[in-house]
C-alpha cells in the first residue's frame, strides 16, 4: 500500500487560515467556527448515500445479521462512540452494531504505531463478519489500509460494504457498495481531521444510526420507548414518556410500567390498545419489536376475532 497522496482534501493547506497563528484568541475561534459551518452542508449533500446505507442496515438487522464499523484514530473512535450509545438509548442488543478499532481498545486512548497501515490486520479483525452483514469503513482519507483490508474481506464473504470518508474522489470508494464522500475540504490546521471531517462524520453516524433505529420501530413518534426501567431515574423518565405518548396520568402509567416488568414498549402498547401485558408482549414479538406494527396487529386481531381487552 502506497503512501497517502499529498492531494487529499484534508491534507491540503486551507487558504482561509494561513494567518491563524497571528490572530487573537477570539479571532481564532471565529475562524474555526466559520470553517465548521461547512460540515452540515457537506452532510446535506450526501443524504441520499446515507439513506442507502440506512436501508442496507435495516435489511441486515431484520434478517438477524449485524452492522460493523471499522476505523482507525479519530474515525475509529467515532464509530465506537456511536455503537456504544445505541444499547442505552434504544435498548438494542450490543451485538447489533459492533465497532472495531485498529489496535483494539488500547488504541482508543493511546496512539498505537503502524496499526492503521496494516491491511492484513483489518482483514483479521473482520474475521467475524458474515454474509448478509453490513460493514462500514470510516476513514477521513478514504484509503486507510486497515479499513481497506476489512472491507475487502467483508465483500469476499458476501457482506454489504460502505465507506464514510472526507474524500469524495477516493479511489477505494469505487470498490464499496455505498460511498458517503463528505466534501469538508482542508482543515483549519492541515491534516487535523478531528475537526471538520470528524464533525461531519459524527453527524453522518448520528443520522445513520438514529434513522435505522426509527425504521426498526425502536421509537414511538419521537419518543425513546425502547429503554427499560433499570433504575429509579430511568423509571421516572419512562413514566414521563408514557404520559407524553398516551395522555394518561402518571399513576396509571407507573402501574402499567410495573405490570410490564419495566418494559416501556409493552407498557405503551398495553395502554394504547387497552389490552393485557401478555397480549402486548406477544404482538410486540410478532412485530419484530416495532410498537406501531404491534398496535396494528392487535387492532387487526380484535377486528377479525372480536377480541376484547
Amino acid at each position: 500500500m502506497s503512501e497517502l497522496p499529498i492531494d487529499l482534501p484534508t491534507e491540503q493547506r486551507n487558504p482561509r487560515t494561513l494567518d491563524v497563528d497571528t490572530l487573537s484568541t477570539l479571532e481564532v475561534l471565529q475562524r474555526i467556527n466559520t470553517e465548521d459551518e461547512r460540515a452540515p452542508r457537506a452532510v446535506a449533500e450526501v443524504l441520499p448515500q446515507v439513506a442507502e446505507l440506512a436501508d442496507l442496515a435495516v435489511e441486515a438487522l431484520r434478517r438477524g445479521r449485524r452492522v460493523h464499523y471499522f476505523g482507525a484514530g479519530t474515525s475509529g473512535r467515532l464509530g465506537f462512540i456511536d455503537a456504544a450509545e445505541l444499547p442505552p438509548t434504544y435498548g438494542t442488543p450490543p451485538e447489533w452494531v459492533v465497532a472495531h478499532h485498529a489496535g483494539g481498545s488500547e488504541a482508543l486512548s493511546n496512539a498505537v504505531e503502524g496499526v492503521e497501515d496494516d491491511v492484513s490486520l483489518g482483514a483479521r479483525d473482520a474475521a467475524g463478519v458474515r454474509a448478509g452483514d453490513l460493514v462500514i469503513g470510516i476513514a477521513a482519507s478514504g484509503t486507510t489500509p486497515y479499513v481497506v483490508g476489512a472491507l475487502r474481506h467483508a465483500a469476499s464473504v458476501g457482506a454489504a460494504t460502505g465507506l464514510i470518508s472526507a474524500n469524495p474522489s477516493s479511489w477505494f470508494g469505487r470498490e464499496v457498495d455505498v460511498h458517503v464522500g463528505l466534501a469538508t475540504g482542508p482543515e483549519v490546521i492541515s491534516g487535523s481531521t478531528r475537526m471538520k471531517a470528524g464533525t461531519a462524520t459524527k453527524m453522518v453516524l448520528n443520522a445513520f444510526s438514529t434513522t435505522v433505529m426509527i425504521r426498526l420501530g425502536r421509537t414511538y413518534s419521537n419518543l425513546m420507548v425502547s429503554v427499560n426501567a433499570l433504575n429509579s431515574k430511568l423509571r421516572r423518565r419512562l413514566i414521563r414518556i408514557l404520559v407524553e405518548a398516551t395522555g394518561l396520568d402518571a399513576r396509571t402509567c407507573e402501574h402499567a410500567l410495573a405490570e410490564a416488568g419495566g418494559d416501556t414498549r409493552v407498557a405503551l402498547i398495553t395502554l394504547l390498545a387497552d389490552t393485557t401485558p401478555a397480549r402486548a408482549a406477544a404482538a410486540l414479538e410478532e412485530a419484530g419489536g416495532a410498537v406501531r406494527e404491534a398496535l396494528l396487529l392487535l387492532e387487526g386481531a380484535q377486528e377479525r376475532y372480536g377480541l376484547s381487552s
Side-chain angles (χ1 to χ4, degrees):
M1 187 70 62
S2 61
E3 293 287 325
L4 292 179
I6 60 173
D7 60 347
L8 285 175
T10 56
E11 298 296 321
Q12 295 173 2
R13 293 184 71 188
N14 191 328
R16 296 175 295 277
T17 60
L18 294 176
D19 61 345
V20 71
D21 61 335
T22 68
L23 304 178
S24 70
T25 301
L26 178 58
E27 288 171 331
V28 170
L29 291 168
Q30 289 171 335
R31 199 71 62 89
I32 291 172
N33 183 249
T34 298
E35 290 298 310
D36 283 346
E37 292 175 357
R38 296 172 180 268
R41 294 202 298 269
V43 173
E45 292 171 358
V46 298
L47 290 181
Q49 289 74 41
V50 180
E52 288 184 59
L53 271 188
D55 286 339
L56 287 172
V58 169
E59 180 181 0
L61 292 170
R62 281 179 174 164
R63 292 182 176 181
R65 299 299 192 260
R66 297 187 293 175
V67 174
H68 299 261
Y69 295 147
F70 283 88
T74 296
S75 296
R77 294 183 186 102
L78 291 172
F80 253 91
I81 291 170
D82 193 72
E85 290 175 345
L86 296 180
T89 306
Y90 297 105
T92 59
E95 63 270 16
W96 272 22
V97 180
V98 184
H100 310 264
H101 190 284
S105 57
E106 180 186 352
L108 289 174
S109 57
N110 299 291
V112 178
E113 294 298 326
V115 289
E116 71 176 62
D117 296 325
D118 193 337
V119 176
S120 61
L121 177 61
R124 290 198 300 274
D125 283 359
V129 171
R130 297 290 180 264
D133 288 351
L134 171 63
V135 180
I136 301 173
I138 310 169
S141 68
T143 59
T144 303
Y146 173 82
V147 171
V148 170
L151 291 179
R152 282 179 172 168
H153 175 80
S156 74
V157 299
T161 57
L163 175 67
I164 300 172
S165 83
N167 182 9
S169 61
S170 165
W171 57 264
F172 184 61
R174 296 188 291 272
E175 289 192 23
V176 299
D177 296 312
V178 181
H179 179 202
V180 179
L182 295 157
T184 51
E187 297 287 5
V188 169
I189 303 301
S190 298
S192 182
T193 54
R194 71 189 187 93
M195 301 192 75
K196 279 187 302 183
T199 298
T201 297
K202 189 175 191 305
M203 291 177 70
V204 166
L205 289 170
N206 284 350
F208 162 78
S209 58
T210 301
T211 300
V212 171
M213 294 299 108
I214 293 169
R215 291 287 316 283
L216 289 172
R218 307 301 292 191
T219 66
Y220 178 77
S221 181
N222 61 353
L223 298 171
M224 292 191 297
V225 296
S226 296
V227 181
N228 292 334
L230 302 177
N231 56 51
S232 58
K233 178 183 176 181
L234 274 177
R235 184 176 293 274
R236 290 193 297 271
R237 177 189 293 174
L238 297 179
I239 291 169
R240 287 198 301 271
I241 287 173
L242 289 172
V243 170
E244 288 281 346
T246 66
L248 298 172
D249 62 90
R251 185 179 295 275
T252 299
C253 292
E254 183 177 11
H255 177 73
L257 187 63
E259 289 291 302
D263 189 316
T264 317
R265 287 175 296 167
V266 171
L268 178 60
I269 294 166
T270 300
L271 292 169
L272 291 176
D274 191 21
T275 189
T276 65
R279 285 180 181 167
L284 188 64
E285 183 176 0
E286 185 178 350
V291 171
R292 287 194 188 274
E293 291 183 25
L295 290 169
L296 290 173
L297 287 171
L298 284 170
E299 181 182 322
Q302 289 173 356
E303 290 177 354
R304 287 194 302 272
Y305 305 116
L307 297 176
S308 58
S309 59

